[in-house]
Amino acid sequence: QAFFCLLLCVPWGSSCPPSCQCTERAGAKAVLCSSRHLEEIPKDIPKDAVFLKLDANSITRIPSNAFRHLSHLEELDLSRNAIEKIDRAAFKGVAAGLRTLDLSSNRIRSIPKEALLALNAKLRLANNPWHCECALQEVLWEARLDPDSVQDITCHTAPREEYVGKPLLQVLDAGVNFCSVRQRTTDVAMFITMFGWFTMVIVYVICYVRHNREDTCKHVDYLKSLPSTQGHPE
């Protein structure tokens, strides 16, 4: 019975990452790598994995194409890590089939919207030190967020101090639009730049006219100082 249990729990033998446990859950392949002190995503995850748990490790980054070979993947748990950076193509190759993606309780401050907006998965983004900005707002609008955890997406930093510590959804419900703030800031910067160039042109024209006037006056004074050469009739 012990030998049969061993075969059931580790049916893939050497194809399973050495730091993980591979088993079946409801007839689907599951790779369990929870609390294994991993600092990066294992390279040798079986291609037919459907469930992948990488929670409670020390992973700091999700690089591009990290799961591209896992075409059957449906559930991915990356919660309770130390993730700070997520590349734009981090979930390329699994976007269509992924049903749930848990990124909660990490160190994520910002995330490229391209990394998440292509996903059909239900997202958990709670308990991260988010910087509330336009990109995060767009993710909130476009992505499929887990309704049970959306209230825990809190502004750790924000353009205005009054938003810090508040749930992002509460800030947006109050009528704040981080994207319009960024657009307004850009418009103001463009206006200041155009005004600066316009001022430079006006100053140049004034200096040019003043310089020519001074030269003209000097020339007239010079002509007046010359002795008259006109003859007197006899």
Side-chain angles (χ1 to χ4, degrees):
Q1 290 180 349
F3 179 73
F4 176 77
C5 181
L6 180 63
L7 291 178
L8 180 63
C9 292
V10 191
W12 301 334
S14 60
S15 65
C16 187
S19 57
C20 304
Q21 178 185 5
C22 298
T23 184
E24 289 193 11
R25 182 191 302 175
K29 306 295 185 181
V31 182
L32 311 178
C33 309
S34 306
S35 305
R36 299 302 173 98
H37 306 290
L38 298 175
E39 296 183 357
E40 60 181 17
I41 298 168
K43 306 293 185 184
D44 49 354
I45 298 171
K47 294 182 179 180
D48 53 351
V50 176
F51 306 99
L52 177 58
K53 287 183 66 65
L54 291 163
D55 55 303
N57 283 292
S58 302
I59 299 170
T60 60
R61 178 191 174 197
I62 307 178
S64 297
N65 303 310
F67 310 100
R68 188 172 185 175
H69 66 292
L70 305 178
S71 58
H72 299 281
L73 194 63
E74 294 183 5
E75 295 186 15
L76 176 57
D77 188 353
L78 288 159
S79 63
R80 296 184 295 152
N81 274 278
I83 297 171
E84 296 181 352
K85 180 175 176 55
I86 299 176
D87 291 356
R88 294 176 183 273
F91 304 106
K92 187 175 182 179
V94 297
L98 205 61
R99 291 186 299 153
T100 63
L101 172 60
D102 195 342
L103 292 168
S104 60
S105 301
N106 277 282
R107 300 176 184 173
I108 307 170
R109 296 188 71 252
S110 63
I111 188 170
K113 63 180 181 180
E114 296 85 356
L116 297 181
L117 296 184
L119 293 172
N120 293 319
K122 184 182 293 184
L123 295 172
R124 297 188 182 99
L125 303 175
N127 301 318
N128 281 286
W130 291 108
H131 175 62
C132 289
E133 57 180 348
C134 182
L136 182 59
Q137 176 178 314
E138 290 177 341
V139 168
L140 195 68
W141 281 344
E142 302 291 340
R144 293 182 57 224
L145 296 177
D146 182 0
D148 294 333
S149 64
V150 68
Q151 286 291 346
D152 294 322
I153 302 176
T154 304
C155 297
H156 184 74
T157 56
R160 297 178 60 174
E161 188 68 26
E162 61 187 278
Y163 306 143
V164 175
K166 293 183 178 180
L168 176 59
L169 193 61
Q170 177 183 334
V171 174
L172 297 179
D173 285 344
V176 176
N177 189 333
F178 293 107
C179 296
S180 67
V181 169
R182 184 178 66 176
Q183 182 63 43
R184 187 161 58 248
T185 302
T186 303
D187 292 343
V188 170
M190 291 181 62
F191 174 79
I192 292 175
T193 301
M194 293 177 63
F195 180 78
W197 279 105
F198 181 75
T199 302
M200 289 176 62
V201 171
I202 294 298
V203 170
Y204 174 79
V205 171
I206 292 174
C207 292
Y208 179 79
V209 171
R210 182 177 297 174
H211 179 72
N212 285 349
R213 180 181 298 173
E214 291 176 353
D215 287 347
T216 301
C217 291
K218 290 179 180 178
H219 186 67
V220 171
D221 291 341
Y222 172 75
L223 292 178
K224 288 181 178 180
S225 66
L226 293 176
S228 176
T229 58
Q230 294 182 352
H232 298 278
E234 295 182 356

